[in-house]
Amino acid sequence: MPFSPQVALSLDLKGLILLRTWSKYASGLIATNIGVSHSRKFLIGGFSLGTFFLFLLSIALSEQLLMNDQDRIQNAIFSEIDVGSLVHFCILRSSGFCLLSPVQSIVILSPINWLFPAVDITRMERYKIIKEVGNGTFGSVWRALNKQSGEVVAIKKMKKKYYSWEECINLREVKSLRKMSHPNIVKLKEVIREHDILYFVFEYMECNLYQLMKDRAKLFSESEVKNWCFQVFQGLAYMHQRGFFHRDLKPENLLVSKDIIKIADFGLAREINSHPPYTEYVSTRWYRAPEVLLQSPTYGSAVDMWAMGAIMAELFSLRPLFPGSSEADEIYKICSVIGSPTVNDWCDGLELASVINYQFPQVTGVHLSALIPSAGEDAIHLIRSLCSWDPSKRPTASEALQHRFFSSCFYVPPSLRSKAAVAKTPPSAGTKVPLEQKTGRRYPGTLSNMRSTNNLTSIKSNAPSHAGVQRKLEMTFQDEHKYPKSSWKQQARYRPPVKNVPAANYMGKTRGVSDTAEKFSNMVIGSGKPSAKSQQPPPMKAGGWHGQSDLFLGRSQEILPGRSLSRKVAG
Ligand SMILES: Nc1ncnc2c1ncn2[C@@H]1O[C@H](COP(=O)(O)OP(=O)(O)OP(=O)(O)O)[C@@H](O)[C@H]1O
């Protein structure tokens, strides 16, 4: 069978890569070099060129048969070049396959192997699972240790099964994250598919913003909030400039390690120039922009800016700004904080509402500084502009970075970031007096609920009857079923978030490493059937059982889903 030089070359290279990978996998570095020297002896042994090609072909074929396809995808995703093998190949080719002695080969190739480790065949074996650190809609996240490098990583084990690599590389999380490298965007290190289970290996972060807030007894200082927001806006500016928007920003998706904050969970990320309408939007309701709530078929990176406004307010007050219990209640909560939109505010929004036959409740709203007394004037101004009804009136991430709220912040180049973190000098240099002395409660209530008494101070100082925060949002029909109209006010309260409590602390139990690792390996994986969450929701009602909404709307009003719009259950 004739071979073109190119085919021969590629087979030769593949064969050597395989040889090296096999031998390395079997017994490490020395075996690799012995493998190379064996191949050299084998070649010197007087085989004809044709036999040599056949030898390479058999190796290449067995590579196809034996080599796990994740290696190929790994190379495709991360453009990893097995440099060691390449050098093996070049040396062998240029030297006519016979110049290097085994000793020379060890001396030359060992540093190369050390510098550029080969791709291993079984990847998950390299990690020791330590404990569960998060459980989201799409996967559970585990802290793990890379046994080879000693590095601590976070492994996201996807709940859905993936039967081919094609499915995996088309995942948004992969498509978007592989294109992004920024100090404020969590780094995807590796993608592994084993036994039809997909694992994402991320850099490990200590906790998420929500975890920081929920256990907080004191308010954060303005400089802390400023520092985090400044970094998140930098990550967003980078992402938006590269044509992606996140679509599911929330405190749980902002991960913190020391003073560094990073955007995580790109499961919903969209390319800005991808084609609307977007049909499967499932972002968390409390941070969902009004254009999405009103089922706009076109929306863009401004949805991330809205979410940031809500998150900023929450960081200052430790309470969610718009904690709607359904989509209609979400719009009501927004109206009750920023006031109902007028034609001047958001002409397109009124049109969107009329398309779905929705009437905004007529509410005047409140001054944000009354709701967020710990925020300074600049912060209030930024939050207000981020939470503008009209997406085109919200600042972009780059514009937000120029806002006077960040005037004391300076940009720290990525190369200096770690030093800055270690030295505890975050990229903000806020000079305002910390507000930590003010006592904050643990999610004592909601800002828009508090508004009804018009006395923030007294509400803050009065212990709420329901401590904790309900971040698990129910679907409308579930809410209605669980909480009848009459008892909604008592029932729709915050609850401690169960899903994000680390396994080690959950219900007071402490699990050992091996215990958790066993649980991890024995875990039953979902069949990929659509869950209740992704089913078509029933028409939602504005007013009805939604407590206060009744007063303003005066009648029950339905928002008919014009398209499939499922609501995500916040973890
Ligand atoms: N790199 C990481 N380091 C540490 N913890 C992480 C990391 N990535 C995720 N987590 C934790 O796991 C939780 C869930 O992760 P993630 O949001 O990626 O999963 P998900 O299934 O997409 O969740 P969601 O329901 O928000 O869509 C996060 O809130 C966070 O607490």
Side-chain angles (χ1 to χ4, degrees):
M1 191 178 161
F3 287 101
S4 70
Q6 287 84 358
V7 171
L9 203 73
S10 98
L11 289 176
D12 198 354
L13 181 58
K14 275 186 175 176
L16 283 166
I17 291 174
L18 182 70
L19 196 65
R20 181 168 168 274
T21 309
W22 278 352
S23 55
K24 190 161 183 171
Y25 181 65
S27 52
L29 187 64
I30 300 293
T32 303
N33 297 304
I34 290 170
V36 171
S37 76
H38 276 186
S39 74
R40 189 174 64 84
K41 282 176 192 160
F42 182 66
L43 293 169
I44 302 167
F47 283 89
S48 70
L49 200 61
T51 320
F52 170 63
F53 282 152
L54 283 177
F55 161 71
L56 293 176
L57 179 65
S58 65
I59 288 180
L61 286 177
S62 45
E63 176 196 15
Q64 291 299 319
L65 292 175
L66 296 176
M67 208 173 187
N68 193 321
D69 59 356
Q70 72 199 17
D71 286 326
R72 268 175 274 132
I73 206 76
Q74 180 72 15
N75 289 340
I77 290 173
F78 297 99
S79 311
E80 266 182 22
I81 299 170
D82 194 341
V83 181
S85 293
L86 199 63
V87 174
H88 279 203
F89 168 75
C90 294
I91 293 172
L92 289 173
R93 294 294 283 191
S94 61
S95 63
F97 306 108
C98 58
L99 287 183
L100 279 184
S101 72
V103 175
Q104 283 171 318
S105 131
I106 288 173
V107 170
I108 294 173
L109 299 176
S110 296
I112 297 167
N113 283 325
W114 182 75
L115 280 174
F116 304 101
V119 177
D120 285 340
I121 289 175
T122 47
R123 293 177 187 284
M124 282 311 289
E125 275 178 19
R126 284 186 294 149
Y127 295 102
K128 180 180 176 184
I129 304 303
I130 301 171
K131 72 168 185 177
E132 191 179 19
V133 292
N135 197 343
T137 313
F138 300 105
S140 51
V141 181
W142 299 75
R143 187 148 77 100
L145 186 74
N146 184 325
K147 291 184 217 165
Q148 289 174 339
S149 65
E151 186 188 12
V152 177
V153 294
I155 300 184
K156 182 169 174 179
K157 180 186 183 185
M158 299 301 277
K159 290 178 179 166
K160 180 182 175 293
K161 280 204 172 192
Y162 290 84
Y163 297 101
S164 75
W165 266 114
E166 282 61 45
E167 269 184 275
C168 306
I169 45 172
N170 283 326
L171 276 175
R172 294 211 181 89
E173 202 147 5
V174 177
K175 278 167 92 176
S176 48
L177 272 175
R178 62 184 277 210
K179 290 183 189 160
M180 280 183 268
S181 171
H182 188 273
N184 299 115
I185 294 177
V186 75
K187 182 92 196 131
L188 175 62
K189 292 170 159 292
E190 195 174 13
V191 182
I192 300 172
R193 190 175 73 95
E194 252 180 37
H195 311 301
D196 299 330
I197 298 171
L198 188 63
Y199 304 90
F200 291 119
V201 182
F202 291 104
E203 65 178 307
Y204 182 76
M205 300 292 289
E206 283 161 14
C207 61
N208 66 46
L209 256 195
Y210 167 65
Q211 288 163 337
L212 279 186
M213 286 193 284
K214 80 180 164 66
D215 294 329
R216 191 76 190 173
K218 290 176 182 174
L219 296 181
F220 292 118
S221 70
E222 187 166 86
S223 65
E224 281 172 297
V225 176
K226 191 182 290 191
N227 173 32
W228 284 324
C229 293
F230 190 64
Q231 293 181 57
V232 177
F233 282 126
Q234 285 183 46
L236 283 178
Y238 172 90
M239 185 196 308
H240 293 168
Q241 276 156 19
R242 263 147 202 83
F244 287 93
F245 58 107
H246 188 283
R247 300 206 302 173
D248 193 18
L249 280 182
K250 57 182 174 181
E252 290 91 330
N253 287 341
L254 297 176
L255 307 183
V256 182
S257 269
K258 299 189 175 67
D259 292 324
I260 303 295
I261 190 163
K262 301 195 183 204
I263 305 167
D265 189 5
F266 283 68
L268 286 175
R270 265 261 170 214
E271 274 179 84
I272 286 169
N273 56 6
S274 62
H275 297 294
Y278 306 133
T279 49
E280 66 306 89
Y281 191 82
V282 287
S283 80
T284 308
R285 193 188 304 128
W286 295 353
Y287 309 92
R288 199 179 295 174
E291 63 270 29
V292 180
L293 289 165
L294 291 174
Q295 303 174 9
S296 168
T298 53
Y299 50 82
S301 51
V303 298
D304 291 342
M305 304 313 290
W306 174 276
M308 273 309 291
I311 292 168
M312 245 186 99
E314 190 166 337
L315 279 171
F316 273 111
S317 62
L318 302 182
R319 297 182 181 93
L321 185 60
F322 308 121
S325 54
S326 65
E327 289 181 15
D329 190 48
E330 184 66 30
I331 299 181
Y332 171 76
K333 290 282 193 312
I334 295 170
C335 290
S336 63
V337 173
I338 64 173
S340 308
T342 62
V343 182
N344 280 345
D345 292 331
W346 193 28
C347 184
D348 293 349
L350 298 185
E351 270 175 33
L352 280 175
S354 74
V355 168
I356 56 170
N357 208 18
Y358 177 77
Q359 260 185 308
F360 282 100
Q362 290 310 306
V363 196
T364 46
V366 286
H367 201 281
L368 276 181
S369 55
L371 284 180
I372 319 166
S374 59
E377 200 186 303
D378 292 341
I380 293 288
H381 182 270
L382 179 56
I383 295 169
R384 203 171 36 228
S385 54
L386 289 167
C387 293
S388 300
W389 282 109
D390 188 340
S392 66
K393 291 179 185 160
R394 291 171 213 151
T396 63
S398 310
E399 284 164 359
L401 288 168
Q402 308 296 320
H403 191 275
R404 58 178 186 265
F405 177 59
F406 296 119
S407 58
S408 57
C409 296
F410 52 90
Y411 176 72
V412 176
S415 57
L416 298 176
R417 283 292 175 91
S418 52
K419 284 182 202 161
V422 170
K424 296 251 171 201
T425 48
S428 81
T431 52
K432 293 180 182 169
V433 181
L435 296 163
E436 283 179 344
Q437 292 79 7
K438 296 190 183 183
T439 307
R441 294 179 193 286
R442 280 186 207 177
Y443 286 82
T446 71
L447 293 181
S448 33
N449 284 349
M450 292 193 306
R451 180 196 146 269
S452 56
T453 69
N454 265 342
N455 188 344
L456 261 183
T457 328
S458 68
I459 288 172
K460 283 197 115 182
S461 56
N462 287 333
S465 52
H466 314 303
V469 60
Q470 182 192 5
R471 304 195 64 92
K472 186 175 175 180
L473 304 170
E474 313 290 344
M475 289 175 67
T476 308
F477 69 90
Q478 289 170 331
D479 290 345
E480 208 154 2
H481 177 70
K482 273 188 182 169
Y483 312 131
K485 186 174 172 178
S486 57
S487 62
W488 176 72
K489 275 193 176 175
Q490 294 101 43
Q491 296 287 350
R493 63 188 171 189
Y494 290 126
R495 287 189 206 145
V498 174
K499 287 172 81 180
N500 275 341
V501 174
N505 299 331
Y506 183 51
M507 312 260 293
K509 286 180 195 164
T510 308
R511 289 200 180 101
V513 168
S514 55
D515 193 4
T516 312
E518 195 184 320
K519 184 186 161 197
F520 185 89
S521 56
N522 295 334
M523 195 183 299
V524 179
I525 302 297
S527 62
K529 286 177 194 161
S531 67
K533 291 169 211 162
S534 60
Q535 287 168 7
Q536 176 89 357
M540 60 180 185
K541 289 179 187 286
W545 58 273
H546 296 122
Q548 291 182 357
S549 308
D550 283 346
L551 302 174
F552 291 91
L553 290 171
R555 63 186 176 86
S556 210
Q557 192 191 2
E558 286 185 353
I559 297 179
L560 292 164
R563 59 194 168 84
S564 170
L565 189 87
S566 51
R567 270 156 284 171
K568 190 174 197 175
V569 178

